[in-house]
Amino acid sequence: AQSVTQLDSQVPVFEEAPVELRCNYSSSVSVYLFWYVQYPNQGLQLLLKYLSGSTLVESINGFEAEFNKSQTSFHLRKPSVHISDTAEYFCAVSDINSGGYQKVTFGTGTKLQVIP
Amino acid sequence: DSGVTQTPKHLITATGQRVTLRCSPRSGDLSVYWYQQSLDQGLQFLIQYYNGEERAKGNILERFSAQQFPDLHSELNLSSLELGDSALYFCASSVGGARGDTQYFGPGTRLTVL
């Protein structure tokens, strides 16, 4: 069975400082990995995803995540955060259920609080 | 705007009652997913439909049921409501049900059970 662990429930960071949000996963099959972001009072939206190919994936707003198979990790990083990055970030792993359909398991989320 | 719509936005009801939450997926998406988000349990997958057929079940209680209609909109029915059912309920849609498909989330329905 697949699972996702986000060890940090909250991460406070000063504006313009770097940040890393940690995600570890377990899965019995080759993995597809996602980071979703939830801004206050909104639904989740995809930030970036790893399906195959380059282990480093980037989003349009400066975040990047690196798939590390040996460490079963998919940490999210940004070199310089902005106030507008304040949100909750969810790591997720995708598997296939017995019917051949996607089953996505989400982590418990990490609240990023950017301090002015 | 994800293109996924959910109604109502807020719902306040009493214990023992029954409510229906509605979701319209993005145009062209065949899969619909339902999630429950609460402070104590985080984001929990409830159920998935693909083109009208149930495809996956998560932590969905027997008091809850869902369906996807021929026009692809979906409804989540919650009955015999308890205080603990108070939560945000999200609907998401994707093109199909394949691995790697991005899920597009609606704005959610906030259910308060008094």
Side-chain angles (χ1 to χ4, degrees):
Chain A
Q2 59 187 18
S3 66
V4 177
T5 302
Q6 292 181 250
L7 286 173
D8 306 307
S9 59
Q10 294 192 53
V11 173
V13 62
F14 285 103
E15 192 174 15
E16 297 184 5
V19 70
E20 177 180 83
L21 306 183
R22 296 181 294 169
C23 171
N24 288 90
Y25 68 89
S26 68
S27 176
S28 58
V29 298
S30 61
V31 291
Y32 288 7
L33 294 157
F34 306 78
W35 276 100
Y36 282 81
V37 58
Q38 184 179 26
Y39 297 104
N41 300 313
Q42 294 186 28
L44 281 71
Q45 55 187 277
L46 180 72
L47 191 59
L48 47 77
K49 64 182 177 182
Y50 169 77
L51 303 183
S52 65
S54 173
T55 57
L56 185 67
V57 289
E58 298 176 352
S59 71
I60 58 173
N61 57 354
F63 281 94
E64 64 179 30
E66 185 160 20
F67 169 57
N68 188 319
K69 188 175 181 179
S70 62
Q71 297 188 9
T72 60
S73 67
F74 191 55
H75 301 332
L76 182 69
R77 302 183 183 96
K78 188 170 186 179
S80 175
V81 295
H82 190 267
I83 291 289
S84 60
D85 294 324
T86 295
E88 189 160 16
Y89 293 78
F90 292 88
C91 183
V93 61
S94 170
D95 199 346
I96 292 282
N97 69 0
S98 57
Y101 285 85
Q102 175 175 231
K103 177 186 173 185
V104 178
T105 301
F106 285 85
T108 50
T110 297
K111 290 183 179 174
L112 174 63
Q113 183 186 6
V114 180
I115 305 164
Chain B
D1 184 358
S2 67
V4 178
T5 59
Q6 290 186 248
T7 56
K9 195 168 183 177
H10 301 279
L11 198 48
I12 301 174
T13 188
T15 54
Q17 295 299 305
R18 173 189 170 94
V19 297
T20 297
L21 313 184
R22 182 188 169 100
C23 168
S24 292
R26 288 190 327 153
S27 177
D29 284 359
L30 297 178
S31 273
V32 168
Y33 310 77
W34 285 98
Y35 293 88
Q36 180 194 59
Q37 185 179 39
S38 60
L39 284 175
D40 55 343
Q41 299 215 8
L43 190 65
Q44 299 282 318
F45 167 69
L46 296 178
I47 198 164
Q48 178 201 355
Y49 281 83
Y50 174 80
N51 204 21
E53 302 278 334
E54 181 186 306
R55 290 304 182 192
K57 255 186 176 178
N59 301 325
I60 188 166
L61 300 171
E62 285 191 13
R63 300 183 286 110
F64 296 0
S65 65
Q67 56 183 325
Q68 186 180 27
F69 294 87
D71 67 352
L72 301 178
H73 91 271
S74 178
E75 293 180 357
L76 179 67
N77 300 296
L78 314 176
S79 62
S80 303
L81 285 168
E82 302 175 358
L83 295 177
D85 297 327
S86 295
L88 257 176
Y89 290 85
F90 286 108
C91 166
S93 72
S94 67
V95 172
R99 286 190 78 199
D101 279 358
T102 297
Q103 293 186 32
Y104 295 87
F105 283 75
T109 293
R110 182 172 293 280
L111 173 66
T112 303
V113 183
L114 301 175

